[in-house]
Amino acid sequence: MTQTAAITEAITTLEDAENRFGFVRVEDEQFFPEWYEGLSEITEAEKASVDVVRRRYLYHRAGGDLLEGTVILLLVSPILALSGFYDPPFRIKAESSVELVLNDGEEILRGRIDVLVLQDGMVTNGDDILFVKVTQTNTPQYDLSRVFAPFASARELYAVLQILKRIGQLISSASTAL
């Protein structure tokens, strides 16, 4: 008999994801250099735009915790726009349903992704920002960037913009090479 559960209830930790999907974390700096190598400087105009985004975010955040939708409106969406992820070759989907079928159909996990940028896949969500790289090999591998906290400093959002622009460049180059 097929069991259906919410993803957020079935998978609550990295260990859960590793066990259910066979992920192995690779802690080798050469596995995921995209988040710290080859980053181009951002312009003064981009910094000014990021400063406006952060100022708005901090104003609303000062009143207490923000719901995910508010964080997406105030922070995620403007940063994705500045990074070029709303332009070709990328496609945006909001509130995308996700269904994972496990154990030969015996278990189905369902959930939603708040913002999904499609072009070889990238997912973002939340108050803190973390980049994840996953490779689909015989044994799926992943690694994580450090956590970026826009609440702490404008430099955090500058770095996020640099990283997103770098990842966007790499994906765009790969898609035009095909």
Side-chain angles (χ1 to χ4, degrees), residues 49-62 66 70 73-75 78:
S49 294
V50 168
D51 290 343
V52 168
V53 167
R54 184 169 181 270
R55 195 168 37 252
R56 287 177 183 151
Y57 167 76
L58 291 176
Y59 169 77
H60 290 281
R61 186 70 170 82
L66 299 174
T70 307
L73 287 172
L74 292 172
L75 190 64

Side-chain angles (χ1 to χ4, degrees), residues 69-150:
T70 307
V71 172
I72 289 167
L73 287 172
L74 292 172
L75 190 64
V76 176
S77 184
I79 294 296
L80 288 174
L82 284 169
S83 304
F85 281 95
Y86 290 162
D87 302 316
F90 305 102
R91 301 255 185 232
I92 297 294
K93 295 204 184 237
E95 290 295 322
S96 296
S97 295
V98 176
E99 183 173 281
L100 303 173
V101 180
L102 306 174
N103 304 323
D104 295 324
E106 291 181 21
E107 183 178 18
I108 297 174
L109 302 180
R110 291 192 174 126
R112 300 186 79 63
I113 296 175
D114 294 316
V115 177
L116 178 63
V117 179
L118 295 174
Q119 175 60 37
D120 298 330
M122 185 185 108
V123 181
T124 184
N125 175 18
D127 213 3
D128 292 329
I129 299 166
L130 175 74
F131 294 92
V132 180
K133 179 177 184 176
V134 176
T135 60
Q136 295 297 326
T137 57
N138 289 340
T139 302
Q141 299 177 322
Y142 76 97
D143 199 13
L144 310 170
S145 71
R146 74 171 184 83
V147 175
F148 294 86

